[in-house]
Amino acid sequence: MVSIKRLTDLALLTAMALVVSVIEHYIPLPIPIPGAKLGLSNIILLVSLYFYGFKSALVIGILKSILLVLITGFVSSFFFSVTGAIFASIAMNLSLKGLDKSFSFIGVSEIGAFFHNFGQVLISAIVMDNIKMYYYFPLLVFIGTFSGFFVGLSSNYLIKHMKKLGSKRYAKKDH
């Protein structure tokens, strides 16, 4: 059974991811590339994954995608968003398990950005029934490298700060 405190934390994290995603829609990128975004809500997903585990982070990512469609009305973007969130959550979970051994939070975030983009291109290739959509993938990966670095760096600082604030509350993640 999920405690009220944990449920409240997860609801707040979902709301934060949603707010960040809505704000992100209004941030113009210097290079106009269809579908490219900064991915700032992945900061919330990475923090959720670290403190609350894979299932919770996956639920937050999926709920954020559903709620974002209800707010923005962009139904077609739902499939790209939810697929990217699922792929990124799985990849970040697997790489986070190797955090102390191989990857920093920046590395985990970079891997998440890569697989988020891969999921989005996969869905676009299926929807458009055109394998040539993968030509777009290297450009997305290039942009994702920069945003993944920022997301990982921000997550690192946020996680360290949360540990300092509540050593008992955030000492050990629950899986």
Side-chain angles (χ1 to χ4, degrees):
M1 178 174 247
V2 177
S3 72
I4 297 295
K5 185 174 144 187
R6 181 180 171 96
L7 187 62
T8 303
D9 286 348
L10 297 177
L12 287 171
L13 288 167
T14 302
M16 288 180 357
L18 180 62
V19 167
V20 169
S21 290
V22 169
I23 291 170
E24 189 176 26
H25 276 286
Y26 296 104
I27 298 174
L29 290 178
I31 304 169
I33 298 171
K37 291 186 285 187
L38 296 173
L40 299 177
S41 66
N42 287 330
I43 296 170
I44 307 300
L45 287 181
L46 188 52
V47 168
S48 302
L49 184 63
Y50 182 79
F51 286 115
Y52 296 100
F54 172 69
K55 289 178 187 175
S56 297
L58 186 61
V59 168
I60 289 169
I62 292 171
L63 283 175
K64 180 216 42 147
S65 298
I66 292 169
L67 294 171
L68 191 61
V69 166
L70 294 175
I71 289 173
T72 63
F74 299 132
V75 178
S76 62
S77 68
F78 168 74
F79 299 105
F80 300 101
S81 176
V82 76
T83 304
I86 291 169
F87 275 57
S89 295
I90 291 169
M92 288 192 300
N93 182 54
L94 293 173
S95 58
L96 189 61
K97 290 181 179 183
L99 181 67
D100 295 331
K101 301 171 190 152
S102 304
F103 300 111
S104 67
F105 285 112
I106 294 171
V108 172
S109 177
E110 294 283 354
I111 290 168
F114 179 88
F115 280 96
H116 192 281
N117 289 329
F118 179 77
Q120 288 181 323
V121 172
L122 176 67
I123 285 299
S124 68
I126 291 169
V127 167
M128 304 237 184
D129 194 27
N130 188 348
I131 196 75
K132 292 182 180 179
M133 293 305 295
Y134 282 100
Y135 291 147
Y136 191 50
F137 186 56
L139 182 60
L140 288 177
V141 170
F142 179 73
I143 292 169
T145 300
F146 294 105
S147 62
F149 178 82
F150 178 75
V151 165
L153 188 64
S154 300
S155 299
N156 186 38
Y157 285 120
L158 189 56
I159 288 168
K160 284 182 181 178
H161 184 68
M162 288 175 73
K163 284 182 177 180
K164 286 180 187 176
L165 283 177
S167 58
K168 289 183 182 178
R169 183 172 184 170
Y170 299 112
K172 186 70 177 159
K173 55 186 170 186
D174 297 326
H175 289 286

